[in-house]
Amino acid sequence: MSSLRKLCEDGSADATRTTAHIRYPRCMERNTRQRNAIRGAIAQADRPLLPQEVLDAAQREVPGLGIATVYRNLKALTADGELQAVNLPGENPRFELVGHRHHHHFQCRQCQRVFDVHACPGDLSRLAPQGFTIEDHDLTLYGRCADCAPPAQTTRRPAVASAAAPGRTHRHRG
């Protein structure tokens, strides 16, 4: 293990900095900037992001950021309780900030992005087999997001005349 990595893990080396009476390893200064960019990218997106999406967004603030650093920081931020993983069947985990009230997700089948759904059908116990108890649930809706949905077509519905306008006759062609 490199001495820099050991320093970052246990803070035992002499190269430390004191801020507000707390000793931080110097390597944490760089990580703080990277973590802030990662945290900010997820907060700004306001939806769960894949690690690659985090990287793409965070590189705007820290151009030299690499995918391995993103993975390490996502793992650390999750362990610290700042992020939570969003696991959808057959998908790589996405990450979102902790602190959302109970919510669900919507995945666009075209662009694969995932969005928060701040609604819940409520008590689903009636769906469980008799004698079973539900402890939790997770609901994912699938479809097309607003960016990918085809434009709504306006169809003209024939006007239904309830009564003929004065001076006009109402006729059907037979």
Short mmCIF file of all heavy atoms in Angstrom, two decimals, residues 128-172:
data_model
loop_
_atom_site.label_atom_id
_atom_site.label_comp_id
_atom_site.label_asym_id
_atom_site.label_seq_id
_atom_site.Cartn_x
_atom_site.Cartn_y
_atom_site.Cartn_z
N ALA A 128 -50.63 -8.68 -1.22
CA ALA A 128 -49.83 -9.80 -0.70
C ALA A 128 -50.72 -11.03 -0.53
O ALA A 128 -51.92 -10.92 -0.25
CB ALA A 128 -49.20 -9.42 0.64
N PRO A 129 -50.14 -12.20 -0.69
CA PRO A 129 -50.91 -13.42 -0.44
C PRO A 129 -51.44 -13.44 1.00
O PRO A 129 -50.82 -12.86 1.90
CB PRO A 129 -49.90 -14.54 -0.66
CG PRO A 129 -48.84 -13.94 -1.52
CD PRO A 129 -48.78 -12.49 -1.13
N GLN A 130 -52.55 -14.09 1.19
CA GLN A 130 -53.16 -14.15 2.51
C GLN A 130 -52.17 -14.72 3.53
O GLN A 130 -51.50 -15.72 3.26
CB GLN A 130 -54.43 -15.00 2.47
CG GLN A 130 -55.22 -14.90 3.76
CD GLN A 130 -56.59 -15.54 3.62
OE1 GLN A 130 -56.97 -16.03 2.57
NE2 GLN A 130 -57.33 -15.53 4.71
N GLY A 131 -52.08 -14.06 4.67
CA GLY A 131 -51.18 -14.50 5.73
C GLY A 131 -49.80 -13.89 5.66
O GLY A 131 -48.99 -14.04 6.56
N PHE A 132 -49.49 -13.19 4.58
CA PHE A 132 -48.19 -12.54 4.42
C PHE A 132 -48.28 -11.12 4.96
O PHE A 132 -49.35 -10.51 4.94
CB PHE A 132 -47.79 -12.48 2.94
CG PHE A 132 -47.37 -13.79 2.35
CD1 PHE A 132 -48.19 -14.91 2.38
CD2 PHE A 132 -46.13 -13.91 1.73
CE1 PHE A 132 -47.81 -16.11 1.82
CE2 PHE A 132 -45.74 -15.10 1.16
CZ PHE A 132 -46.57 -16.21 1.20
N THR A 133 -47.16 -10.59 5.43
CA THR A 133 -47.12 -9.19 5.85
C THR A 133 -46.07 -8.46 5.02
O THR A 133 -44.97 -8.99 4.79
CB THR A 133 -46.77 -9.04 7.34
OG1 THR A 133 -45.52 -9.66 7.59
CG2 THR A 133 -47.83 -9.68 8.22
N ILE A 134 -46.42 -7.29 4.58
CA ILE A 134 -45.48 -6.46 3.81
C ILE A 134 -44.72 -5.58 4.78
O ILE A 134 -45.30 -4.92 5.63
CB ILE A 134 -46.24 -5.61 2.78
CG1 ILE A 134 -46.87 -6.51 1.73
CG2 ILE A 134 -45.31 -4.58 2.13
CD1 ILE A 134 -47.65 -5.78 0.66
N GLU A 135 -43.41 -5.58 4.64
CA GLU A 135 -42.56 -4.75 5.48
C GLU A 135 -42.08 -3.50 4.76
O GLU A 135 -41.77 -2.50 5.38
CB GLU A 135 -41.38 -5.57 5.99
CG GLU A 135 -41.81 -6.72 6.88
CD GLU A 135 -40.67 -7.62 7.29
OE1 GLU A 135 -39.52 -7.41 6.82
OE2 GLU A 135 -40.92 -8.54 8.08
N ASP A 136 -41.99 -3.58 3.46
CA ASP A 136 -41.51 -2.45 2.65
C ASP A 136 -41.90 -2.72 1.21
O ASP A 136 -42.27 -3.84 0.85
CB ASP A 136 -39.99 -2.31 2.79
CG ASP A 136 -39.48 -0.96 2.31
OD1 ASP A 136 -40.30 -0.07 2.01
OD2 ASP A 136 -38.25 -0.78 2.25
N HIS A 137 -41.79 -1.72 0.38
CA HIS A 137 -42.01 -1.92 -1.05
C HIS A 137 -41.18 -0.91 -1.84
O HIS A 137 -40.75 0.10 -1.32
CB HIS A 137 -43.50 -1.79 -1.41
CG HIS A 137 -44.04 -0.40 -1.27
ND1 HIS A 137 -44.58 0.07 -0.10
CD2 HIS A 137 -44.11 0.62 -2.15
CE1 HIS A 137 -44.97 1.31 -0.26
NE2 HIS A 137 -44.69 1.68 -1.50
N ASP A 138 -40.96 -1.26 -3.09
CA ASP A 138 -40.21 -0.42 -4.00
C ASP A 138 -40.91 -0.53 -5.34
O ASP A 138 -41.12 -1.64 -5.84
CB ASP A 138 -38.76 -0.90 -4.09
CG ASP A 138 -37.88 0.08 -4.82
OD1 ASP A 138 -38.22 1.27 -4.89
OD2 ASP A 138 -36.83 -0.35 -5.34
N LEU A 139 -41.28 0.58 -5.90
CA LEU A 139 -42.06 0.59 -7.12
C LEU A 139 -41.29 1.35 -8.20
O LEU A 139 -40.81 2.45 -7.95
CB LEU A 139 -43.41 1.27 -6.85
CG LEU A 139 -44.38 1.40 -8.01
CD1 LEU A 139 -44.87 0.03 -8.45
CD2 LEU A 139 -45.56 2.26 -7.59
N THR A 140 -41.17 0.74 -9.37
CA THR A 140 -40.52 1.41 -10.50
C THR A 140 -41.51 1.44 -11.66
O THR A 140 -42.05 0.40 -12.05
CB THR A 140 -39.24 0.68 -10.93
OG1 THR A 140 -38.36 0.59 -9.80
CG2 THR A 140 -38.54 1.43 -12.05
N LEU A 141 -41.73 2.62 -12.18
CA LEU A 141 -42.58 2.79 -13.36
C LEU A 141 -41.68 2.84 -14.58
O LEU A 141 -40.56 3.36 -14.52
CB LEU A 141 -43.38 4.09 -13.25
CG LEU A 141 -44.24 4.24 -12.00
CD1 LEU A 141 -44.85 5.64 -11.94
CD2 LEU A 141 -45.31 3.17 -11.96
N TYR A 142 -42.14 2.32 -15.69
CA TYR A 142 -41.37 2.31 -16.93
C TYR A 142 -42.18 2.96 -18.03
O TYR A 142 -43.40 2.80 -18.10
CB TYR A 142 -41.02 0.87 -17.33
CG TYR A 142 -40.15 0.17 -16.33
CD1 TYR A 142 -40.70 -0.59 -15.30
CD2 TYR A 142 -38.76 0.27 -16.40
CE1 TYR A 142 -39.91 -1.24 -14.38
CE2 TYR A 142 -37.96 -0.37 -15.47
CZ TYR A 142 -38.54 -1.12 -14.47
OH TYR A 142 -37.74 -1.76 -13.55
N GLY A 143 -41.52 3.70 -18.89
CA GLY A 143 -42.18 4.35 -20.01
C GLY A 143 -41.21 5.28 -20.69
O GLY A 143 -40.02 4.97 -20.78
N ARG A 144 -41.68 6.41 -21.16
CA ARG A 144 -40.83 7.40 -21.80
C ARG A 144 -40.92 8.71 -21.04
O ARG A 144 -42.01 9.15 -20.68
CB ARG A 144 -41.25 7.62 -23.25
CG ARG A 144 -40.95 6.42 -24.11
CD ARG A 144 -41.13 6.75 -25.54
NE ARG A 144 -40.92 5.55 -26.34
CZ ARG A 144 -40.86 5.54 -27.64
NH1 ARG A 144 -41.02 6.67 -28.30
NH2 ARG A 144 -40.66 4.43 -28.28
N CYS A 145 -39.75 9.32 -20.82
CA CYS A 145 -39.71 10.60 -20.12
C CYS A 145 -40.22 11.70 -21.04
O CYS A 145 -40.45 11.47 -22.24
CB CYS A 145 -38.28 10.90 -19.65
SG CYS A 145 -37.11 11.24 -20.98
N ALA A 146 -40.37 12.88 -20.51
CA ALA A 146 -40.89 14.01 -21.28
C ALA A 146 -40.01 14.33 -22.49
O ALA A 146 -40.52 14.73 -23.54
CB ALA A 146 -41.04 15.24 -20.39
N ASP A 147 -38.69 14.14 -22.36
CA ASP A 147 -37.79 14.42 -23.47
C ASP A 147 -37.92 13.39 -24.59
O ASP A 147 -37.67 13.69 -25.75
CB ASP A 147 -36.33 14.45 -23.01
CG ASP A 147 -36.03 15.63 -22.11
OD1 ASP A 147 -36.79 16.62 -22.14
OD2 ASP A 147 -35.04 15.56 -21.36
N CYS A 148 -38.27 12.15 -24.24
CA CYS A 148 -38.30 11.06 -25.22
C CYS A 148 -39.70 10.71 -25.71
O CYS A 148 -39.84 10.03 -26.73
CB CYS A 148 -37.67 9.80 -24.62
SG CYS A 148 -35.92 9.99 -24.23
N ALA A 149 -40.73 11.15 -25.03
CA ALA A 149 -42.10 10.83 -25.43
C ALA A 149 -42.42 11.51 -26.75
O ALA A 149 -42.00 12.64 -26.99
CB ALA A 149 -43.08 11.28 -24.35
N PRO A 150 -43.15 10.80 -27.60
CA PRO A 150 -43.54 11.46 -28.86
C PRO A 150 -44.45 12.65 -28.55
O PRO A 150 -45.18 12.62 -27.56
CB PRO A 150 -44.31 10.37 -29.62
CG PRO A 150 -44.66 9.34 -28.62
CD PRO A 150 -43.70 9.47 -27.47
N PRO A 151 -44.37 13.68 -29.37
CA PRO A 151 -45.21 14.85 -29.10
C PRO A 151 -46.68 14.44 -29.12
O PRO A 151 -47.10 13.62 -29.92
CB PRO A 151 -44.87 15.82 -30.22
CG PRO A 151 -44.09 15.06 -31.22
CD PRO A 151 -43.60 13.80 -30.57
N ALA A 152 -47.42 15.02 -28.22
CA ALA A 152 -48.85 14.73 -28.15
C ALA A 152 -49.51 15.23 -29.42
O ALA A 152 -49.30 16.36 -29.84
CB ALA A 152 -49.47 15.39 -26.93
N GLN A 153 -50.25 14.35 -30.06
CA GLN A 153 -50.94 14.74 -31.28
C GLN A 153 -52.32 15.23 -30.92
O GLN A 153 -53.03 14.63 -30.13
CB GLN A 153 -51.04 13.56 -32.23
CG GLN A 153 -49.68 13.10 -32.72
CD GLN A 153 -49.82 11.97 -33.74
OE1 GLN A 153 -50.91 11.57 -34.08
NE2 GLN A 153 -48.70 11.48 -34.22
N THR A 154 -52.65 16.34 -31.53
CA THR A 154 -53.99 16.86 -31.30
C THR A 154 -54.89 16.30 -32.38
O THR A 154 -54.63 16.46 -33.57
CB THR A 154 -54.01 18.40 -31.33
OG1 THR A 154 -53.47 18.84 -32.57
CG2 THR A 154 -53.18 18.98 -30.19
N THR A 155 -55.86 15.59 -31.97
CA THR A 155 -56.81 15.03 -32.94
C THR A 155 -58.09 15.84 -32.84
O THR A 155 -58.54 16.19 -31.76
CB THR A 155 -57.10 13.55 -32.64
OG1 THR A 155 -57.59 13.45 -31.32
CG2 THR A 155 -55.86 12.70 -32.80
N ARG A 156 -58.61 16.12 -33.97
CA ARG A 156 -59.87 16.88 -33.99
C ARG A 156 -61.01 15.89 -33.86
O ARG A 156 -61.14 14.98 -34.67
CB ARG A 156 -59.99 17.67 -35.27
CG ARG A 156 -59.00 18.79 -35.33
CD ARG A 156 -59.32 19.67 -36.48
NE ARG A 156 -58.40 20.79 -36.45
CZ ARG A 156 -58.52 21.83 -37.23
NH1 ARG A 156 -59.49 21.90 -38.09
NH2 ARG A 156 -57.65 22.81 -37.15
N ARG A 157 -61.76 16.10 -32.85
CA ARG A 157 -62.94 15.27 -32.65
C ARG A 157 -64.10 15.97 -33.32
O ARG A 157 -64.23 17.20 -33.21
CB ARG A 157 -63.19 15.09 -31.16
CG ARG A 157 -62.01 14.48 -30.46
CD ARG A 157 -62.22 14.47 -28.99
NE ARG A 157 -62.85 13.20 -28.62
CZ ARG A 157 -63.37 12.97 -27.45
NH1 ARG A 157 -63.40 13.90 -26.53
NH2 ARG A 157 -63.89 11.80 -27.17
N PRO A 158 -64.93 15.21 -33.97
CA PRO A 158 -66.07 15.88 -34.60
C PRO A 158 -66.95 16.52 -33.53
O PRO A 158 -67.15 15.95 -32.46
CB PRO A 158 -66.82 14.75 -35.31
CG PRO A 158 -66.20 13.47 -34.84
CD PRO A 158 -64.91 13.80 -34.17
N ALA A 159 -67.37 17.69 -33.82
CA ALA A 159 -68.22 18.41 -32.88
C ALA A 159 -69.55 17.68 -32.77
O ALA A 159 -70.11 17.23 -33.75
CB ALA A 159 -68.43 19.83 -33.34
N VAL A 160 -69.99 17.55 -31.58
CA VAL A 160 -71.28 16.92 -31.35
C VAL A 160 -72.27 18.04 -31.12
O VAL A 160 -72.13 18.82 -30.17
CB VAL A 160 -71.22 15.98 -30.12
CG1 VAL A 160 -72.60 15.40 -29.84
CG2 VAL A 160 -70.19 14.91 -30.35
N ALA A 161 -73.22 18.13 -31.99
CA ALA A 161 -74.21 19.20 -31.87
C ALA A 161 -75.35 18.69 -31.01
O ALA A 161 -75.97 17.68 -31.31
CB ALA A 161 -74.72 19.60 -33.24
N SER A 162 -75.59 19.39 -29.94
CA SER A 162 -76.70 19.00 -29.07
C SER A 162 -78.01 19.51 -29.63
O SER A 162 -79.05 18.92 -29.45
CB SER A 162 -76.48 19.51 -27.65
OG SER A 162 -76.34 20.90 -27.67
N ALA A 163 -77.92 20.59 -30.31
CA ALA A 163 -79.12 21.15 -30.96
C ALA A 163 -78.64 21.93 -32.16
O ALA A 163 -77.57 22.52 -32.14
CB ALA A 163 -79.88 22.04 -30.00
N ALA A 164 -79.41 21.91 -33.20
CA ALA A 164 -79.02 22.64 -34.40
C ALA A 164 -79.02 24.13 -34.11
O ALA A 164 -79.87 24.62 -33.38
CB ALA A 164 -79.98 22.32 -35.55
N ALA A 165 -78.04 24.79 -34.68
CA ALA A 165 -77.97 26.24 -34.50
C ALA A 165 -79.18 26.87 -35.18
O ALA A 165 -79.66 26.37 -36.19
CB ALA A 165 -76.67 26.77 -35.10
N PRO A 166 -79.65 27.95 -34.63
CA PRO A 166 -80.82 28.60 -35.24
C PRO A 166 -80.54 28.94 -36.70
O PRO A 166 -79.45 29.41 -37.04
CB PRO A 166 -81.01 29.86 -34.41
CG PRO A 166 -80.23 29.64 -33.15
CD PRO A 166 -79.19 28.63 -33.46
N GLY A 167 -81.48 28.64 -37.54
CA GLY A 167 -81.34 28.96 -38.97
C GLY A 167 -80.59 27.89 -39.74
O GLY A 167 -80.42 28.02 -40.94
N ARG A 168 -80.15 26.83 -39.10
CA ARG A 168 -79.44 25.77 -39.80
C ARG A 168 -80.19 24.45 -39.57
O ARG A 168 -80.77 24.23 -38.52
CB ARG A 168 -78.03 25.60 -39.29
CG ARG A 168 -77.15 26.78 -39.59
CD ARG A 168 -75.74 26.44 -39.25
NE ARG A 168 -74.90 27.60 -39.52
CZ ARG A 168 -73.68 27.72 -39.12
NH1 ARG A 168 -73.12 26.77 -38.41
NH2 ARG A 168 -72.98 28.78 -39.41
N THR A 169 -80.08 23.61 -40.53
CA THR A 169 -80.70 22.30 -40.37
C THR A 169 -79.61 21.29 -40.12
O THR A 169 -78.51 21.40 -40.63
CB THR A 169 -81.54 21.90 -41.60
OG1 THR A 169 -80.69 21.93 -42.72
CG2 THR A 169 -82.72 22.83 -41.77
N HIS A 170 -79.93 20.29 -39.37
CA HIS A 170 -78.96 19.24 -39.04
C HIS A 170 -79.32 18.02 -39.88
O HIS A 170 -80.40 17.47 -39.75
CB HIS A 170 -79.07 18.93 -37.54
CG HIS A 170 -78.12 17.88 -37.09
ND1 HIS A 170 -76.79 18.13 -36.89
CD2 HIS A 170 -78.31 16.56 -36.81
CE1 HIS A 170 -76.21 17.02 -36.49
NE2 HIS A 170 -77.10 16.04 -36.43
N ARG A 171 -78.43 17.61 -40.76
CA ARG A 171 -78.72 16.50 -41.66
C ARG A 171 -77.65 15.44 -41.57
O ARG A 171 -76.49 15.73 -41.37
CB ARG A 171 -78.78 16.99 -43.11
CG ARG A 171 -79.87 17.95 -43.31
CD ARG A 171 -79.94 18.26 -44.79
NE ARG A 171 -80.96 19.29 -44.95
CZ ARG A 171 -81.04 20.05 -46.00
NH1 ARG A 171 -80.18 19.92 -46.98
NH2 ARG A 171 -81.98 20.94 -46.10
N HIS A 172 -78.03 14.21 -41.76
CA HIS A 172 -77.10 13.08 -41.86
C HIS A 172 -77.15 12.60 -43.28
O HIS A 172 -78.20 12.54 -43.91
CB HIS A 172 -77.54 11.93 -40.93
CG HIS A 172 -77.39 12.27 -39.50
ND1 HIS A 172 -76.25 12.06 -38.80
CD2 HIS A 172 -78.28 12.82 -38.61
CE1 HIS A 172 -76.42 12.44 -37.56
NE2 HIS A 172 -77.66 12.92 -37.43
#
